[in-house]
Each structure stands twice: as C-alpha cells, then as structure tokens.
Amino acid sequence: MPAWSTTLSASRWLSRSLLLIAGALQTLTFSPFELWWLGPLSALLIVLVSVPLRPERLFAAGWFTGLGLFGSGASWVYISISQYGNTSIPVSVLLTVIFVAGLALFHGLAFWFWGKLAKDSQIRRLLLFPAIWILGDWLRGWLLTGFPWLYLGTAHTDGPLAGWAPLLGVHGLTFWVTVSGAAIYGAWWLISQRRHTAAALTLVVMALPWLAGPSLNRVAWTDVSTEPTSFAAMQGNIPQQIKWDPEFLKDQIVTYLGMTEEHWDTDLILWPETAIPIPQDQAGKIIDHIDERLGADSTLITGIPWYGFSDRIEDFTFHNSIMAVGNGDGMYHKQKLVPFGEYVPLQGVLRGLIGFFDLPMSDFSRGPEYQEPLVANGIQVMPFICYEVAYPDFVAFNSRGADLLLTISNDGWFGDSIGPLQHLQIARMRALETGRYMVRGTNNGVTAIIDHRGRLTETIPQFERATLRGQVYTATGSTPYMQTGSWPVLTLAVILVVFVRERVIPPSSASGS
C-alpha cells in the first residue's frame, strides 16, 4: 500500500483524529446538510487510515469512527434527556456520552472482526471493507432492538444512487458507497504500482452504478393510481411539557378538533402520534364525536394509547397505537419500541434513579407481529409509528399488499436539532424503497406528503400549528426490494467474507503500524 498511507496510520493521535473526522463527515451527508458526496470521501479516509493498521489497533479505529459519526449525528438525544427527562446537565451529558460511546462499539466490533479475518493482508482488508461495514450496520439495526439510524445509503434520497433503492434497499446503497471509497484507494495503489489499466478498470466499474442510478429513477416498479385521494394532516405543535398533563388534556383535544373543522369531508385525515393523550378505553366520547363529525366517505386516523387485556402476554397492558375512525377500520399497536422512551430495560433497577427513567408513558408493551393494515375508504393503509419507519426490512415486509404508507411521530422530544430532519429523510427512503406514497403526521414537524419516488410534495415547517392539505395516490405491486429485503446484499457480504478470507489473496505482511 502507498507509503503515505502507512505514515498517516503510524501516529495514533493523527490516525484517530482523522477517523473522528471521517465519522463526522458522514453526518453531513444526511439532512439537513445533504452533502451525499462526502460519503465516498469518508469511506476513502477510513480505509486510508485503517488498512495499514496492525490488527490489534482496528477495534480502536472502528470505535473512533463510530464516535465521530454518532457524536455528531445522534447526540440530539441530549435534548430529550436534559430538557424533557428532568435530568441535571452533568448527568445528561454523562448519559449522552455513554449512549454515543455505546453505539460506537458496533463499529469497533466490526473493525475487530475485520482485523481477525485479514490480519496478514492489507489487500484482503481493502476487499473486505464494504462487507464488514454492511454486516456491522445490520448488527446495529438488530441487536438489543436496534438503532437503524445514520445508514450511509439514506443520504441518497436525492443522490445519484437513489434509483437503486427499490432494487437493493438502503443497505445496498451503503454497500456501494463503501465500495467506492475502497475502489478509489485501490486505484491509487495500482497507479503507484504502474498498473494503470487495472486502475482505470477499477474506477470504471466503481462508477457504473453511479452513472446508471439516474436512469433507474425512471423505472416504474409499482403501478401508481391516477385517482387522487384528498388528504389533510393536523400539526398541533403541542408543547412537550404539557403533552401528558391532565390539566391540558381538554385544550389538546379542542385544538385538533378545531384544526379539523374545515376538513371533515376530506377522504383521509391524519392526527399525529398520541394526539389523543388518553387510552382508548377512556376516550369513547371523543371518538364518538369524531365519528359523528366525519363525512360519509371520510376516515380519520389518529395516534392514541391503548389499554386492555393482551392475549399474547396474558395480562393487561399499554400499547402505543394508531386507530381508524369513520369510513375505515383497524387498530395497530407499535412493535418497535424505543428503549427508555417507551419502555425501560431493567426497570426494576432503573425506575426512580433519575427523571429520565420515569418519562411519561414509558411503560408500553410491544405489539404483536403480522398486524393487518388499517382500512380507510377501502384503501389498505400500513401504519408505522415513529421509530418503526427507520427499520428498512420491517417496513418493506409489512408494506406488501398495502396501497399507501403512513407514519406518525412526535419529534418534539428532540427540539430544534437535526434529529427530526434525519427522521424525515429516513421516511423518504422507505417510500423510495417500496414505490409507495407515504403520508407523515407529526406534532411539531415535519408533517409531509412523500411520493413514491421519495420526493416531498407538501410540507409544513417545524414548530408551527398548521394544517397540511394535498392529494395522495395509491399503488399496487411490489418493488424487488420488498420481495427480497436486504438478504441479497447481506448474502453477498457473507460470500465476500468467506471467499476473500479463504481463497483469494495469499497472506502478506502488514505494515506493522
């Protein structure tokens, strides 16, 4: 490998600083910055520093990379801990540091595995880098309920690789971003070896998906109806501090009823997550009033807690739910719960220690698997509540047979940070992967209509009380990604691990740095 790469890696201080920067560059690829082209640059910088390192230093290399990514891209959790968790600033800072450092361990573990697989060959490391990155992302999105956030491919909702999303999903896009960084590094090395033809071929192969992506945007993977459905979403902008205060319950309901006054005849009306902040067994009069006001062909879908007896756990429980009222039917219970926000791990130990472990409505139970879509005016509407929309395979699988996707959220927990804007971009990627319109209702932004190509057609700015009006269109059929999920990309990553480790490159000495 190039001597200058080895020189950069030789200094611990310099190499770790560069890896922190590389991780932070990835945050700039996502909303609101959307500098997608920094993704391959970040990958290039990571391999530039990491490939020559001794195997025992790769865990630290991965951890510092993750620290840069999550320290810049996910530290918005501090706002929910400090401002809404009634937790002192020192404790909030400590918990945020633990959160970020813990997430960075996933990168550390992936890089440690990388070193174990190719400890004697830098060329093997280069070839294995994309596979290791993808497998690390998958593990992070699955283990301990997962944190499927800040995947590099998500940056391409408006990038040149967007056309590949309906075929490969977000992990496929991430794979090619990391391939591109590794390919540029490899081409530099080939040029240093005077193998110019091989270097040119490497760059050409790397560039092909980037060039083909815009053409794929024109492919119609699903059949989108030409018959519009009128839609209205109410963004109440209810302050988080009063959300669960019984004294303000009536005011909140009156707010949403008032905002809906001119829209009762709209085909589909959407209120956000827990817009009705009392369980359905106590909200009968409110629900009946809504049902009476709705037009004959109108459906209102709202977030509402659910309390009752669960056959699955054989006990009474709370669910974070969403229900259809009027010319519709169905109740959906959230399956992917947010740790500490909706349930508290080890609650027997943690409850009562600090305010953050006693947030309102942090005792929900997970809903059952394989729930049916809601029905609104004969339309099959698959709902996802808040965090659930971040799980690519979960959304793809549950969207089969759905005509329209819907997500509700309350991103007020994260204030005026980049977190809610990242969340919106994630929802856009899910619409792009499934070839379906997605409507998004939030308490304080960003409420939006997203079309089947992941484009925003209507939005309400954050922190405004307003009503969004627009039209949405149903879709039938499935994208290739809905049928296969991420398994083709994950299988390719495993094949690369096995094939490159065992068969391709004979061992060569590492640089010793």
Side-chain angles (χ1 to χ4, degrees), residues 216-253:
L216 289 173
N217 278 324
R218 295 190 288 270
V219 178
W221 300 105
T222 55
D223 185 12
V224 179
S225 171
T226 58
E227 186 71 24
T229 297
S230 61
F231 173 74
M234 287 71 205
Q235 183 171 290
N237 198 31
I238 305 296
Q240 193 62 36
Q241 294 87 339
I242 68 171
K243 176 70 178 175
W244 299 105
D245 190 331
E247 294 185 8
F248 294 94
L249 168 62
K250 182 178 179 180
D251 292 341
Q252 295 182 57
I253 300 302

Side-chain angles (χ1 to χ4, degrees), residues 248-510:
F248 294 94
L249 168 62
K250 182 178 179 180
D251 292 341
Q252 295 182 57
I253 300 302
V254 168
T255 293
Y256 279 107
L257 289 174
M259 295 177 69
T260 313
E261 187 63 33
E262 299 179 3
H263 307 285
W264 291 113
D265 290 326
T266 303
D267 294 334
L268 179 59
I269 303 167
L270 181 62
W271 290 4
E273 184 179 10
T274 58
I276 301 177
I278 55 174
Q280 95 295 341
D281 63 335
Q282 301 175 28
K285 292 183 179 180
I286 299 170
I287 295 170
D288 289 343
H289 177 74
I290 293 171
D291 199 17
E292 291 172 1
R293 296 302 311 276
L294 284 166
D297 297 320
S298 302
T299 303
L300 186 145
I301 296 178
T302 181
I304 184 172
W306 182 93
Y307 180 75
F309 187 82
S310 170
D311 294 329
R312 185 171 59 87
I313 63 176
E314 297 183 344
D315 198 359
F316 285 88
T317 188
F318 279 101
H319 291 298
N320 187 356
S321 304
I322 184 171
M323 69 179 300
V325 184
N327 187 30
D329 182 60
M331 173 78 74
Y332 173 84
H333 304 311
K334 187 177 183 183
Q335 300 178 54
K336 303 288 188 181
L337 300 181
V338 180
F340 303 106
E342 292 172 315
Y343 78 99
V344 178
L346 303 173
Q347 62 175 334
V349 177
L350 298 177
R351 289 282 189 192
L353 289 179
I354 57 174
F356 181 62
F357 297 143
D358 296 291
L359 290 172
M361 303 306 291
S362 59
D363 196 22
F364 286 122
S365 295
R366 181 176 61 85
E369 297 180 353
Y370 311 119
Q371 298 179 58
E372 294 294 323
L374 306 177
V375 179
N377 307 332
I379 298 172
Q380 300 289 311
V381 181
M382 191 65 221
F384 303 97
I385 300 177
C386 189
Y387 193 55
E388 289 186 315
V389 82
Y391 292 83
D393 290 281
F394 176 79
V395 172
F397 177 81
N398 284 281
S399 299
R400 298 172 183 173
D403 305 314
L404 177 70
L405 306 185
L406 176 153
T407 180
I408 57 173
S409 184
N410 178 19
D411 289 345
W413 291 105
F414 307 112
D416 188 15
S417 71
I418 60 177
L421 300 177
Q422 293 172 351
H423 201 181
L424 172 64
Q425 189 177 34
I426 289 170
R428 293 177 60 200
M429 179 55 67
R430 299 293 88 84
L432 182 57
E433 290 168 336
T434 57
R436 277 162 171 73
Y437 269 70
M438 178 176 289
V439 292
R440 187 171 193 260
T442 68
N443 172 44
N444 63 352
V446 178
T447 298
I449 297 174
I450 306 168
D451 75 6
H452 61 295
R453 299 194 188 279
R455 299 172 298 198
L456 295 171
T457 64
E458 302 287 346
T459 62
I460 298 176
Q462 286 182 287
F463 314 116
E464 290 187 13
R465 180 170 292 177
T467 298
L468 179 149
R469 292 218 58 172
Q471 294 180 332
V472 297
Y473 297 84
T474 59
T476 56
S478 297
T479 64
Y481 179 67
M482 290 173 67
Q483 296 299 317
T484 64
S486 298
W487 288 110
V489 176
L490 294 173
T491 300
L492 174 61
V494 172
I495 290 173
L496 279 171
V497 166
V498 173
F499 185 71
V500 173
R501 176 177 180 262
E502 297 293 343
R503 301 179 184 278
V504 177
I505 307 296
S508 62
S509 298

Side-chain angles (χ1 to χ4, degrees), residues 123-178:
I123 298 177
R124 277 184 182 165
R125 286 193 197 170
L126 192 62
L127 293 172
L128 286 173
F129 175 71
I132 292 301
W133 192 277
I134 288 299
L135 294 174
D137 273 0
W138 175 83
L139 182 66
R140 172 163 59 88
W142 170 79
L143 190 64
L144 301 176
T145 73
F147 186 74
W149 212 273
L150 302 178
Y151 291 150
L152 270 171
T154 304
H156 283 267
T157 48
D158 295 307
L161 293 180
W164 290 96
L167 287 89
L168 304 176
V170 68
H171 288 311
L173 273 59
T174 299
F175 183 83
W176 205 255
V177 172
T178 54

Side-chain angles (χ1 to χ4, degrees), residues 13-68:
W13 179 88
L14 179 58
S15 63
R16 291 175 178 179
S17 297
L18 289 173
L19 290 169
L20 281 169
I21 292 170
L25 287 177
Q26 294 184 19
T27 294
L28 296 178
T29 68
F30 307 113
S31 290
F33 313 105
E34 298 180 0
L35 304 175
W36 57 261
W37 51 271
L38 289 176
L41 179 61
S42 170
L44 171 62
L45 187 55
I46 291 168
V47 295
L48 180 70
V49 175
S50 300
V51 164
L53 291 175
R54 293 193 302 268
E56 60 269 22
R57 288 183 57 188
L58 282 178
F59 175 86
W63 188 77
F64 275 95
T65 301
L67 206 61

